[in-house]
Amino acid sequence: MAQALTVTFPERDEVDFVIVGSGSAGGIIAKELSAAGHSVVVLEQGPHLQASDFTHDEWGIDHNYDMKWSTRQGYPQTFRKSENEEAELRDSVCGYAHNVGGSSVHFSGNFWRFRPIDFMEATVRGTVGGTNFADWPISYEDLEPYYTKVDWEIGVSGLQGPWDPPRSREYPCPPMPIKGSDVLLERAAKQLGLTPYPAPVAILSQPFNGRPGCIHCGFCNGFGCEVNAKSSSMIAMIPLALASGNCELRTGCTVSRVHTNAAGRVTEVVYWDEESVERAQRAKAVILCANGAETPRLLLMSESPLFPDGLANTSGFVGQNLMFNGHSSVTGLFGAPVNAWKSVPTTRVVHDFYELDPNLGFYGGGGIDGRHPTRGVPLGFGLVSGQVFDGPSWGVGYKNNLAYEFSHVAAFNGHTTSLPQGSNNVTLDPTYKDKFGRPAIRCTYMDHEDDLATMRWFLNKSTELMEAAGAVKIAATYPETGQEGSSHLLGTCRMGDDPNTSVIDSNNRSHDVPNLFMCDGSTLVTSGRGQPTMTIMALAFRAAEMINNAARRNEI
Ligand SMILES: Cc1cc2nc3c(=O)[nH]c(=O)nc-3n(C[C@H](O)[C@H](O)[C@H](O)COP(=O)(O)OP(=O)(O)OC[C@H]3O[C@@H](n4cnc5c(N)ncnc54)[C@H](O)[C@@H]3O)c2cc1C
Ligand code: SF4
């Protein structure tokens, strides 16, 4: 692994860039800009964990939210379905990991590229009533070189499938070996005339770039990887940023405000350090990579006489158009062991329905993959066992039922589109505050009727597949009254050419503030089909190149 070169920048000296957040996007931007010779300070609110810190502690992860920011740890979030309701305090609505590497550390690693259609859907499909559905200002062709950069610099395993968009270079690692649930999915899909193929994942199927291949421990979704086979920005990017000698990573530092001067340019970033002492770092430019919930909150908290509605918010679009991605799940009980808990979350995907037929009368699309119905760990499953299929829920009968169900089930999950709506948003809660006194994230969200119809359609298709797979019992579920939280936080500072309907331009620069950039899930114009992080990372590589070029030309 690259050797870290310690560098410390005085706060009163102006560094080239302050990056807020070291997650999927922030880690890439930090590496790219520091390797290009710029002085970079990364402010990350969480700790810098290592592979040796990660455990299989299901209670800690699933019950105590050890890796998530939640109300229990002093970071309240509130939720309501519409602006007519009073928002209620919830444990975790916008679920993300607070540590170096952000949610790329404990995500599942499903890594679908967007396709050409995703960038121009509004033109092809027309408007969708009640939404801000729009084309992107860039195309798939613009982003393709950066998708390939993600493949090779972050580490992706897969095989080009029949539906995949064109790629300029093969995957660096072959696909993961097929797991039990996906043997069933593959067989059923072929029986129905569909085209299942190996799921692309940000997980190494074999040693690559000095990291080992996956050991198939089964604790992927929600957990950090103990062998560094999962391709987080924590392991793939941050070590290179630190090795550049130009990057200082300050952990335990929670940013509260971005200051601007009378000319409307950002000057410094204010934060609390590990001892809760308030500090400020001066910078020539600031790049917000705090994710689709925290970046808009920070902008809204950074209001000033010049920007009374929040920094970079003359469009009024900061915090708006929040998209979660839809989902559905069909669980089947089989007469023989499936052992779907083993290995990575999924190894096969059916992408025949990326775009649903417009004649269905609603907009949508997505993919179906095979998995274990829970995170693939016994405790999580134990908490719901007996409710999935009507077995005993207490005593020896329950134990036997749990052991049987845990090893004999598979789930076929749908991952689908979300439409951008102004009524779905992140705003500042007027009542609840976090331990620093910052207004809590208030999330207002109700899925569009087309998104619900899409989830339902995928639920039915998964049920058909489950029947074809030979399940003896089937249980199906989707959020039919609307989702009330997610770990996919997209669209709240969208990219666009028109400053009236977008927050950043196609180079990730704020329309309002020339030395402020947003680069994370907030910048997505549309949601894709359910796995946004490959695109968040590709956009980060692209943004870093644009920012570096602009800095070299003295245009920041
Ligand atoms: C359990 C789980 C499974 C997932 N599985 C998948 C999957 O299979 N495929 C997929 O595509 N996506 C998946 N995701 C979603 C994916 O992880 C996110 O889309 C992605 O990480 C978002 O990247 P980001 O850069 O926008 O933000 P993040 O990765 O969330 O990074 C933001 C960083 O900013 C820091 N930060 C925030 N506010 C502040 C502040 N004020 N001061 C200092 N630091 C701050 C945070 O601590 C964090 O480290 C999953 C997420 C979870 C939680
Ligand atoms: S399944 Fe593989 S990639 Fe996932 S946590 Fe275990 S070893 Fe790491």
Side-chain angles (χ1 to χ4, degrees), residues 203 213-220 223-227 229-230 343-345:
I203 293 169
C214 168
I215 57 168
H216 310 281
C217 75
F219 285 80
C220 225
F223 296 81
C225 180
E226 292 158 73
V227 297
K230 198 195 287 186
S343 191
V344 301

Side-chain angles (χ1 to χ4, degrees), residues 67-199:
M67 291 184 75
K68 273 190 190 171
W69 243 201
S70 77
T71 297
R72 290 179 211 182
Q73 291 122 335
Y75 300 93
Q77 298 187 2
T78 64
F79 180 81
R80 57 184 184 171
K81 281 188 189 294
S82 82
E83 63 177 12
N84 304 322
E85 298 170 19
E86 195 163 326
E88 285 174 10
L89 199 57
R90 297 280 174 88
D91 249 352
S92 178
V93 182
C94 299
Y96 71 89
H98 56 281
N99 43 253
V100 171
S103 292
S104 70
V105 168
H106 74 163
F107 81 150
S108 311
N110 293 301
F111 233 43
W112 309 350
R113 289 183 178 202
F114 281 17
R115 304 196 177 172
I117 182 68
D118 286 299
F119 298 89
M120 52 181 189
E121 259 183 315
T123 294
V124 173
R125 291 290 309 259
T127 53
V128 181
T131 75
N132 292 319
F133 198 41
D135 284 349
W136 289 60
I138 58 173
S139 65
Y140 176 79
E141 290 68 33
D142 293 326
L143 206 53
E144 198 286 330
Y146 306 96
Y147 278 127
T148 296
K149 222 167 153 46
V150 178
D151 281 348
W152 285 85
E153 295 212 17
I154 297 286
V156 182
S157 302
L159 184 72
Q160 179 77 351
W163 311 108
D164 280 346
R167 57 172 55 242
S168 52
R169 200 173 169 195
E170 252 318 313
Y171 286 100
C173 296
M176 302 298 293
I178 191 164
K179 56 188 268 176
S181 48
D182 296 347
V183 170
L184 295 168
L185 176 68
E186 185 164 85
R187 201 184 296 152
K190 284 184 176 163
Q191 219 174 298
L192 297 187
L194 305 174
T195 333
Y197 68 96

